[in-house]
Amino acid sequence: MSFEAISNFVAAFFTLSIFSFLYKDNPFYKFAEAMFVGVTMGYAIPLVYYNTFIPFVYRPIFIEHNFIILIPALMGSLYIFRFSKNLSWLSRYPIVFGMAIIGMGVPLSMHAYVLVQMRIAMMPIDNINTFIIFVGTITILLYFFFSKAHKGVYGKITNIGIWYMMVGFGASFGYTVMARISLLIGRIQFLMGDWLHLMK
Amino acid sequence: MAEQKMNFFDKMQALDRRYIYLVVALAIILPLVIPFNSRTYVTEPSENIYKKIDSFTGRKDRAVLMCFSHDASTMAELFPMEVAILRHCFQRNIQVFTICFIPAAKPLMDYALQTAKEDYTVQSGVDYVNFGYKPWGIFLPIVLGMGDDVAKAVETDDEGRIVSNLEIMKEIKNYNEMNLVIDFAASAAVYIWIEYARARFGANVAAGVTAVMAADNFPYLQTGQLIGMLAGLKGAAEYEKLVDVFATHKEMVNGVETVVPREFSKEVIKDSWIKLSDIKNPVYKTARIGMNAQTVAHIMIIVFIAVGNIGYFVNRKKNKN
């Protein structure tokens, strides 16, 4: 039996073990779930050690004698105190420094997520698509204006906003169904093709 | 009290969910085992990625960066599009870089490169370079650093070589040359590229996303912040078709079937129809075969939704009476 055949058999066993949950919870499912978590962690720990700890902590400090790295290294190691009830407050210090990233991102995210979107929403209404977008933007914005009761003419306008949102949720749901089915197709393609060789 | 007789809709609504799983499983298994050719229509966001990549053909001062931001759980949707794009690059002599920032993406990135390389004689460091896994903590410094100097930002590749010494980097400095970033994600990772690489440096960004994420990305397509998008298995099937119709187009030359790439054309793609059984390598048609099963499964789901809703209204009317 070749290595590929053995690895396919193992993968098929775990796939079927996970699928068995669809019938009901059982020891095969639990075993496969625990194995997945263990293998993922087992793979990630040495990868992170060799790609993060060695090049960014060990090598600069112990080989290149760049001792300034000790400060962020010690600061980062304070995260470990999350596991201590009495000293968990120490872990907030590296978090505070991490929050600086958010400050740096504010102007760029304002540009990327607000200003550019606003600019494109202010296009001239020269075709049916821009008209639909215009109506949708206005009615949805009005729907989220809660200082006025949604009654009368105003209520009718905000109802149009609700319809727009329903269409949006429907599109998202349709895509979600497609995504979930795609994942199942991927696994069945493996079982039928790579494992059982039933696909042509 | 006498038991009330259940009608068809009562029975359907009380149906054990496991029967529905069984029907969905059959709806997927049968089209895979008994294949047929469903037509793949190519959408504009997929075309735009293809055209952008194809415009780099043969140029040493242009490169594509592929960022793998997903794990094996979404491999079914994203892996076929990654292989299709790598094939496109290798076939058309387009320089390509790969990188990932999560440990679980590393084996998938290596696997995609190995799979796509099989039919091509490409050399690491010359035609492509795998930057490898970089810690998530330095994602932002790398994204920003690439705006100044790509080689300086990533320093070493997956094989431990100094990136600036590689032949592929001779004419590549920053986002001006590495002019397209494609992020493959089942998350919001692509927004980091939009926020920093696009907004700060004007880099062209494209997304290869799972279908779940696709709807969220349309506003960015409309604004041009994303130049294109491959949405789920459908997007992968579209790109597979684009590669087959244009990049690996075959013609008979002196009685021998030869690959003769051709330029993208809307007319050609509209009329083209490829028989899947003519494609020998199953990896090159994974998404399109998957879409056959997807079509049948969607029909089944529409039938379930229709029956469920009709049953709901019939029972509501009955209860009112």
Side-chain angles (χ1 to χ4, degrees), chain A residues 63-116:
Chain A
I63 296 174
E64 295 162 8
H65 302 297
N66 186 4
F67 295 112
I68 196 84
I69 298 295
L70 276 170
I71 297 170
L74 288 172
M75 180 75 82
S77 61
L78 294 179
Y79 268 118
I80 205 84
F81 289 104
R82 294 290 294 173
F83 300 109
S84 162
K85 269 186 186 171
N86 298 329
L87 296 171
S88 65
W89 58 274
L90 281 170
S91 66
R92 291 180 194 160
Y93 287 97
I95 294 171
V96 167
F97 278 87
M99 294 297 278
I101 299 283
I102 294 176
M104 194 178 80
V106 168
L108 287 174
S109 54
M110 270 297 286
H111 173 82
Y113 304 136
V114 181
L115 299 179
V116 178

Side-chain angles (χ1 to χ4, degrees), chain A residues 22-23 43 47 51-52 56 104-105 108-109 112-113 117 120 133 172 175 178-179 181-185 189 199, chain B residues 18 28 32 73 76-77 103 107 133 135 138 140 191 195-196 211-212 215 220 222-223 225 233-234 286 290 294:
Chain A
L22 293 172
Y23 183 69
Y43 179 78
L47 193 71
N51 288 280
T52 308
F56 295 104
M104 194 178 80
L108 287 174
S109 54
Y113 304 136
Q117 296 294 328
I120 211 77
I133 291 168
S172 279
Y175 265 124
M178 183 171 127
I181 295 289
S182 299
L183 302 184
L184 181 61
I185 288 168
Q189 272 182 321
M199 279 171 63
Chain B
R18 283 172 286 202
I28 290 170
L32 292 178
S73 64
E77 288 184 276
Y133 162 74
I138 57 165
L140 206 49
Y191 300 147
E195 191 178 332
Y196 293 97
V212 174
Y220 301 102
Q222 196 197 351
T223 57
Q225 287 164 293
L233 198 65
K234 170 83 168 72
T286 311
Q294 186 86 255

Side-chain angles (χ1 to χ4, degrees), chain B residues 65-75 77-79 81-82 97-110 112 130 132-136 139-140 142-143 181-194 205-210 213 217:
Chain B
L65 174 68
M66 295 172 68
C67 180
F68 293 65
S69 306
H70 66 99
D71 60 17
S73 64
T74 47
M75 192 180 167
E77 288 184 276
L78 302 176
F79 188 74
M81 60 177 82
E82 291 156 359
F97 306 141
T98 55
I99 195 166
C100 71
F101 295 93
I102 55 172
K106 171 80 170 66
L108 303 178
M109 183 169 68
D110 295 342
N130 181 3
Y133 162 74
K134 303 289 174 195
W136 179 259
F139 187 3
L140 206 49
I142 287 183
V143 172
V181 178
I182 312 173
D183 192 277
F184 300 94
S187 65
V190 69
Y191 300 147
I192 296 177
W193 293 103
I194 291 175
V205 180
V209 290
T210 54
M213 294 300 299
N217 284 331

